[in-house]
Amino acid sequence: AQTVTQSQPEMSVQEAETVTLSCTYDTSESDYYLFWYKQPPSRQMILVIRQEAYKQQNATENRFSVNFQKAAKSFSLKISDSQLGDAAMYFCACTNFGNEKLTFGTGTRLTIIP
Amino acid sequence: DAGITQSPRYKITETGRQVTLMCHQTWSHSYMFWYRQDLGHGLRLIYYSAAADITDKGEVPDGYVVSRSKTENFPLTLESATRSQTSVYFCATWGRADNSGNTIYFGEGSWLTVV
């Protein structure tokens, strides 16, 4: 079984600043995927970024990037130049290759301060 | 439009009633899932299906029944609704919908209140 831990229930950041959301996971598999999802008040689940564990290079998507530390089982999300529209719940998730059940962390609520 | 459609989006029902939440996808993805979201728990897997006629339990299956006679549909039934089943329910699929790699795609959610 895999577990995902998000130790920061809430975070806040000033608009235009950078913020990092933490995520640690545990899995016995060597091949797996990691994800960050954004959930605004509408409750829609929006994929922010994905990372395949076999890839050394950290994934990036515009202002969003990850720091993937495989040995430490850490997968943090960095949001640069924070915007008001970034305010949401952010969920970290993990799934193994060939067993596509996604396991989620409990989420981090991000507030953007104008 | 392509994607995942859930219905109903909002439902209020009484304790003891049977309720079915519908999920339809247009991609023909093999894997489909039902999650529930409750405050403090993130999303928890109820049931999943690897293909038509293949289903399996997730983390919190008690009180729920699923079926999958066709690849595109994956209904979730609450046989006798309880207040503890008040939640937001998400249907999801795993696969490739564009030029990016495999990922999980979510429907918009079904808000269920049991009174």
Side-chain angles (χ1 to χ4, degrees):
Chain A
Q2 51 206 352
T3 60
V4 177
T5 301
Q6 293 179 249
S7 58
Q8 306 155 314
E10 297 184 353
M11 293 279 287
S12 60
V13 63
Q14 293 278 353
E15 192 176 2
E17 297 295 308
T18 295
V19 64
T20 298
L21 308 184
S22 300
C23 173
T24 57
Y25 62 93
D26 191 20
T27 177
S28 57
E29 302 295 325
S30 57
D31 289 330
Y32 50 90
Y33 295 93
L34 296 162
F35 302 86
W36 278 98
Y37 281 88
K38 171 185 177 181
Q39 188 180 49
S42 67
R43 294 287 194 122
Q44 184 181 4
M45 293 291 287
I46 301 167
L47 177 66
V48 175
I49 202 163
R50 63 193 294 278
Q51 173 86 40
E52 288 136 327
Y54 67 87
K55 291 187 177 178
Q56 302 272 356
Q57 188 172 5
N58 289 326
T60 62
E61 286 288 341
N62 301 313
R63 298 182 294 106
F64 298 88
S65 61
V66 297
N67 183 6
F68 174 45
Q69 301 290 327
K70 191 172 183 178
K73 294 184 177 177
S74 171
F75 185 60
S76 59
L77 175 70
K78 186 172 81 171
I79 306 174
S80 304
D81 185 26
S82 297
Q83 300 176 0
L84 294 178
D86 295 334
M89 282 288 285
Y90 286 82
F91 291 99
C92 179
C94 176
T95 187
N96 298 327
F97 279 31
N99 177 7
E100 284 73 9
K101 296 180 291 182
L102 217 61
T103 298
F104 287 84
T106 51
T108 297
R109 182 174 301 281
L110 178 65
T111 301
I112 310 297
I113 303 167
Chain B
D1 289 342
I4 302 173
T5 304
Q6 291 186 232
S7 62
R9 293 289 319 281
Y10 304 93
K11 175 79 175 178
I12 300 174
T13 192
E14 294 177 338
T15 301
R17 297 237 184 215
Q18 183 180 82
V19 177
T20 296
L21 305 180
M22 304 300 293
C23 179
H24 175 79
Q25 58 134 334
T26 60
W27 292 305
S28 298
H29 289 166
S30 293
Y31 276 89
M32 296 187 75
F33 310 87
W34 276 105
Y35 287 88
R36 60 177 288 174
Q37 185 178 22
D38 306 293
L39 194 63
H41 288 282
L43 279 80
R44 293 182 291 175
L45 182 65
I46 305 170
Y47 268 96
Y48 68 102
S49 169
D53 297 321
I54 301 174
T55 62
D56 206 349
K57 296 178 180 179
E59 181 184 356
V60 288
D62 293 343
Y64 302 95
V65 174
V66 294
S67 62
R68 194 167 176 207
S69 58
K70 294 184 178 181
T71 298
E72 61 266 30
N73 296 323
F74 191 39
L76 175 73
T77 298
L78 288 67
E79 293 185 299
S80 179
T82 65
R83 289 180 181 159
S84 65
Q85 293 178 308
T86 293
S87 188
V88 182
Y89 291 85
F90 287 95
C91 179
T93 69
W94 171 268
R96 199 183 285 260
D98 51 32
N99 291 330
S100 63
N102 286 326
T103 192
I104 188 164
Y105 298 91
F106 287 89
E108 294 183 313
S110 292
W111 299 61
L112 177 67
T113 300
V114 184
V115 298

